[in-house]
Amino acid sequence: MAKLIVWNLVTLDGYFEGDKKWDLDFHNTAWGPELEKMSLEFGASAEALVFGRVTYEGMRDYWTTTTDEGPVKDFMNALPKLVASRTLTSSNWNNTRVTADIGGEIARLKADAERDLYVFGSADLIHSLLEQGLVDEILLCVVPRLLGSGTLLFKKGARHELTLAESRPLSNGSLIVRYSVTK
């Protein structure tokens, strides 16, 4: 049975983007050989990527037009993708399915898949999936920066028990933490 793993970079004060959509400058603080290696491991081990609509649109727009070449771009464009949306009905990004029943699709995929599913970005989707009991792990790269405002990764009122499974510093001062979600 596959796991559903939330993967995000967050600032020390809990923001996954700044005040404007796609304000991700703090990612540059964390990015380097260690995070690139992790990204490649995700690409090699993932069954599918899961996005909310807003994150999907930003990822699609970036990964289908970037001139940066390499294995991260290759796996982002090649891997199956599942998008949660009540407004989209189709996708023009390779290997992408859109669904209004994301909980049902995730439950089916977890039961059938051999490899793990990764949710990137998508704070609203993460909240919904946590509330449905579908998230197995939360994997974060905590970036040593305080934004002071922006979009929080976890919604106010969200209460879940977590168990630390891993923590390790990166050479740039960022910290990788992995938590199992207690069911």
Side-chain angles (χ1 to χ4, degrees):
M1 182 170 184
K3 292 185 286 188
L4 181 64
I5 301 170
V6 167
W7 162 242
N8 271 291
L9 278 73
V10 296
T11 61
L12 189 59
D13 51 354
Y15 297 101
F16 84 101
E17 68 183 353
D19 286 322
K20 297 178 183 171
K21 289 289 179 199
W22 296 101
D23 178 2
L24 305 174
D25 288 344
F26 70 91
H27 284 208
N28 296 327
T29 301
W31 189 255
E34 295 158 301
L35 215 49
E36 182 177 14
K37 180 180 180 216
M38 279 185 70
S39 295
L40 295 174
E41 289 168 359
F42 296 155
S45 67
E47 181 79 23
L49 306 177
V50 181
F51 304 109
R53 183 193 51 82
V54 173
T55 301
Y56 156 75
E57 289 174 341
M59 295 290 242
R60 176 203 61 204
D61 293 350
Y62 178 78
W63 290 109
T64 59
T65 62
T66 184
T67 57
D68 296 340
E69 296 297 325
V72 175
K73 176 183 176 180
D74 294 344
F75 84 70
M76 289 299 294
N77 284 308
L79 276 171
K81 292 162 277 293
L82 185 62
V83 179
S85 179
R86 291 181 292 279
T87 58
L88 293 177
T89 57
S90 64
S91 168
N92 59 353
W93 191 9
N94 186 42
N95 291 332
T96 301
R97 286 187 303 124
V98 178
T99 181
D101 178 21
I102 192 66
E105 287 292 323
I106 294 289
R108 282 187 286 283
L109 273 173
K110 283 177 63 172
D112 295 340
E114 294 179 15
R115 298 180 297 166
D116 295 331
L117 312 168
Y118 287 89
V119 180
F120 294 169
S122 310
D124 291 334
L125 174 60
I126 290 168
H127 180 78
S128 171
L129 295 172
L130 278 165
E131 292 302 305
Q132 294 176 61
L134 293 170
V135 176
D136 299 293
E137 290 183 3
I138 297 173
L139 178 60
L140 302 174
C141 177
V142 181
V143 181
R145 176 141 347 146
L146 299 173
L147 284 185
S149 64
T151 305
L152 289 168
L153 180 59
F154 299 106
K155 302 295 180 189
K156 292 184 184 221
R159 296 178 58 112
H160 300 277
E161 294 295 323
L162 308 173
T163 302
L164 182 65
E166 173 190 6
S167 66
R168 64 183 157 97
L170 301 181
S171 61
N172 59 28
S174 298
L175 180 65
I176 300 296
V177 291
R178 179 188 307 259
Y179 292 96
S180 297
V181 177
T182 306
K183 306 267 178 171

